[in-house]
Amino acid sequence: MATDKAARQKPAREKPAREKSAREKSQHERADTETRPDLLGRIAAPLAAINRAPLTSYHVVMVVTALLTVIGLGMVLSSSNVLAFSGGGTPFDIFLRQALFVLIGWVGFVTALRVRIELVRAAAFPLLLVAIGLLVAVLIPGVGSEINGSKGWIDLGLFSIQPAEIAKFAFILWACSVVAKRMRTGYWLDLLFPAVVGYLVVAVLVVVAPDLGMATAVTIAFLCVLWFSGYPTRHFVWVIAVGVVVFGVLAVAFAYRFERIRTYFDTFRGDFSNPQGAAYQSYQGMLSLADGGLFGVGLGQSSAKWFYLPEATNDFIFAIIGEELGWFGAAVVVSLYLTLGWVGMRVALRSVDPFRRLLAGTVTATIVIQAFINIGYVVGLLPVTGLQLPLISNGGTSAVVTLTSLGLLANCARHEPEAISAILSSPSRRRRSWLALPDPRPYTPERPVPASATPGRSSAGTRRFGDPVTRPQPPRTGGPAPRDRSAGARRTAQPAPVPRPPRGTPRPPAYETMPIPAEAARDRRRGATAMTGRTARPVRGREAERRQPRRPAPDAGSRQSPGAGRPSPIHRGRER
């Protein structure tokens, strides 16, 4: 019996000891967890610090642009040496010509980085007129040269230029300039006109060339301008629907374009029953990607560039990237374009100037969408359109225009509010040299201009209120002489009496501009009204605070802190 009783008491004594050891072990594990962050926290902490840095956008734009330029030059050299040597020259002819255009593009990048945004807006319309003149000159016999069935180049002897690329860049600048002045009106016609007129002129001249790929790029730029300006969604859907119908008609109007559409559906289904026909280019591009595998066959070791893959240096250069650098090399290129899209949207969201916001968003979206269209038709997900891979494909005019556009994006990144504060307060700003970039200027709203008399149709500017109206004082019949107000006295503005209009007269507009519908709906959801403003607290929150009983006011003669239940020790000591 004693033995059984001792055996029963032994587990009872060991249970508190086990609980104590388990408690101490959990405390040690919790302390180790608090002192040693997990792997995700170690990775996220420096990324969050980089994201909070004021000049992150500017540095990311510079790094991504430099990396894409270097990769593009390397791939042009690798994919064009066979073609250049077969033409009777050295293997470096095409590469050296592309390197010259890239150098000119970097000059444009630095110029766009240093230029004032006011000068860009002033030069947008003249540049658009010059671009339209070049598009018209291409159609003149003897001036424009035809390449691959498209009469879209002007031969200048040593090199050729593509006016459609210049027209796309000029249209983006001009459209952003005219739409930025009309963003306050919120009326869909103000955002659509006159930007749609410039788009139709440029697009029609490009289609007549004919170059449906560049017409697609101009259309993407126009849609991006409308989207980032806050164009109503239902009207935006109608614009897209009309564009799809027009491009569908243009695609089936010509035999070779219809053949491309049919080839796309066959390729998408994996049907290569006629690899030597219209599907030859898509078939060879997929074979190149398949040969690359994960790590590729090595830089310069592609077999498709030996005249198996048409346009290996231009439209289908991504297939050469996949063959020589493999899946990982292609993934690096895709990640660089994704990073460029992220940083461009970051710049657009942080910009205060409406023109910079539209310009950053449109330039970024146009470049990134064009890149993914090129990658899409190389891998067989989209029909072949002829759009180049920005900064990587062989093309002089495209390289110059794209680098200049990215220079404007870097300029917008330097004019973020936090970036301006960091640059102007930097200690190294005092040690300036003639190579240093000019100081960014904070955004100043445009000078008000007279608005239209019709609500929501202000095409002249963003003015909301007019000049103060003063009422003339009636002459006095008697009494002391009026005091002279011209001797420095302050004159108060008094509202003039509004005469009652006769019956049958239409009422004048109550406001000169109308709010953007999306912002107005968001303000209504937040509880803001026309009297409280956008940043006011919701009405329900104010009513709830008003219903709460007020705290009794503390005694004026005591030093009791608010919310404390008893006097502080200092107060008690003074009382003693």
Side-chain angles (χ1 to χ4, degrees):
M1 293 294 294
T3 305
D4 295 342
K5 185 176 181 180
R8 286 194 302 267
Q9 290 179 355
K10 185 176 181 180
R13 289 193 303 269
E14 291 178 355
K15 186 176 181 180
R18 287 196 301 268
E19 292 179 355
K20 183 178 180 180
S21 61
R23 194 182 307 112
E24 291 178 354
K25 185 177 180 181
S26 63
Q27 290 178 358
H28 287 303
E29 291 178 355
R30 193 182 303 112
D32 292 342
T33 304
E34 294 176 356
T35 56
R36 186 183 66 251
D38 55 348
L39 181 60
L40 185 60
R42 290 182 178 182
I43 298 175
L47 293 179
I50 293 174
N51 188 35
R52 288 192 301 266
L55 291 174
T56 295
S57 302
Y58 171 69
H59 293 151
V60 171
V61 171
M62 298 291 290
V63 171
V64 171
T65 305
L67 289 177
L68 286 175
T69 304
V70 172
I71 293 175
L73 287 177
M75 295 312 302
V76 168
L77 175 60
S78 175
S79 60
S80 65
N81 50 12
V82 177
L83 180 63
F85 187 74
S86 65
T90 65
F92 306 101
D93 286 348
I94 299 178
F95 166 74
L96 292 177
R97 186 170 64 247
Q98 180 69 11
L100 177 61
F101 277 106
V102 168
L103 181 61
I104 297 174
W106 273 102
V107 173
F109 183 96
V110 176
T111 304
L113 182 60
R114 300 176 64 93
V115 72
R116 294 296 179 188
I117 208 68
E118 295 81 7
L119 181 60
V120 175
R121 300 189 67 171
F125 185 67
L127 183 60
L128 180 64
L129 294 180
V130 172
I132 292 175
L134 291 176
L135 289 177
V136 174
V138 166
L139 303 177
I140 299 176
V143 177
S145 58
E146 185 175 348
I147 299 177
N148 294 333
S150 176
K151 198 174 183 180
W153 281 263
I154 297 179
D155 191 4
L156 299 180
L158 297 177
F159 55 88
S160 301
I161 62 172
Q162 189 178 7
E165 288 281 355
I166 303 175
K168 181 186 70 173
F169 176 67
F171 170 73
I172 290 175
L173 295 181
W174 175 77
C176 292
S177 178
V178 297
V179 173
K181 299 178 181 179
R182 295 159 174 78
M183 289 178 63
R184 284 281 301 273
T185 63
Y187 194 59
W188 66 276
L189 285 178
D190 284 340
L191 300 178
L192 190 61
F193 291 95
V196 68
V197 178
Y199 160 70
L200 290 177
V201 172
V202 174
V204 168
L205 291 176
V206 172
V207 169
V208 170
D211 191 350
L212 192 59
M214 285 307 305
T216 304
V218 176
T219 304
I220 290 172
F222 176 62
L223 294 178
C224 290
V225 171
L226 293 182
W227 178 261
F228 291 115
S229 64
Y231 197 68
T233 306
R234 62 180 184 274
H235 297 293
F236 190 79
V237 172
W238 279 108
V239 171
I240 293 179
V242 172
V244 169
V245 172
V246 172
F247 273 85
V249 172
L250 293 176
V252 300
F254 296 89
Y256 72 95
R257 291 176 183 168
F258 181 74
E259 193 68 25
R260 285 184 179 181
I261 300 297
R262 193 177 68 177
T263 302
Y264 159 67
F265 285 109
D266 294 340
T267 305
F268 192 78
R269 295 195 309 266
D271 182 12
F272 293 102
S273 57
N274 186 19
Q276 299 297 325
Y280 176 77
Q281 190 175 23
S282 300
Y283 181 66
Q284 292 295 329
M286 289 191 175
L287 288 181
S288 301
L289 293 173
D291 290 342
L294 288 178
F295 302 101
V297 297
L299 189 62
Q301 303 300 319
S302 171
S303 59
K305 64 184 179 182
W306 290 85
F307 306 106
Y308 290 102
L309 177 62
E311 299 295 334
T313 64
N314 197 349
D315 297 347
F316 274 73
I317 196 171
F318 187 77
I320 305 299
I321 294 175
E323 183 181 6
E324 295 186 350
L325 304 180
W327 184 88
F328 288 101
V332 168
V333 173
V334 172
S335 63
L336 287 176
Y337 284 115
L338 290 176
T339 305
L340 181 62
W342 166 77
V343 72
M345 295 302 106
R346 172 190 167 98
V347 173
L349 291 175
R350 295 193 172 202
S351 296
V352 183
D353 186 0
F355 175 70
R356 287 192 178 94
R357 189 184 312 141
L358 280 178
L359 183 62
T362 304
V363 166
T364 304
T366 304
I367 294 175
V368 174
I369 292 175
Q370 180 176 338
F372 280 100
I373 288 177
N374 178 277
I375 296 172
Y377 71 69
V378 169
V379 300
L381 295 178
L382 294 173
V384 179
T385 58
L387 287 177
Q388 297 177 341
L389 193 60
L391 295 180
I392 295 181
S393 294
N394 176 33
T397 311
S398 175
V400 173
V401 170
T402 305
L403 285 173
T404 307
S405 304
L406 291 175
L408 290 175
L409 179 61
N411 191 339
C412 297
R414 291 186 75 245
H415 283 80
E416 294 179 1
E418 295 180 0
I420 293 176
S421 177
I423 292 173
L424 297 182
S425 61
S426 175
S428 61
R429 179 170 169 262
R430 301 178 181 177
R431 303 186 298 271
R432 295 180 58 90
S433 63
W434 66 278
L435 291 175
L437 296 175
D439 292 336
R441 297 178 183 178
Y443 168 64
T444 303
E446 294 182 87
R447 184 179 179 181
V449 294
S452 174
T454 307
R457 305 231 178 163
S458 173
S459 59
T462 59
R463 189 168 191 167
R464 190 173 181 85
F465 302 103
D467 295 328
V469 182
T470 58
R471 180 173 57 186
Q473 296 292 337
R476 298 189 179 186
T477 56
R483 183 167 55 90
D484 185 13
R485 295 179 179 269
S486 62
R490 185 175 181 181
R491 179 176 300 179
T492 58
Q494 300 179 1
V498 180
R500 178 175 297 179
R503 291 188 177 183
T505 305
R507 294 185 59 184
Y511 299 98
E512 296 182 358
T513 59
M514 298 174 62
I516 298 177
E519 295 186 358
R522 184 173 65 249
D523 296 342
R524 286 195 299 269
R525 290 195 299 269
R526 294 179 178 177
T529 62
M531 300 296 296
T532 59
R534 185 182 302 177
T535 58
R537 290 173 298 174
V539 179
R540 297 179 180 176
R542 296 197 301 271
E543 293 294 336
E545 293 181 0
R546 193 178 293 113
R547 294 192 194 98
Q548 293 180 357
R550 297 184 177 180
R551 294 182 179 179
D555 189 5
S558 65
R559 289 181 175 267
Q560 182 177 354
S561 60
R566 54 183 180 178
S568 62
I570 300 177
H571 188 67
R572 290 200 302 269
R574 289 182 178 180
E575 287 182 351
R576 290 195 296 270

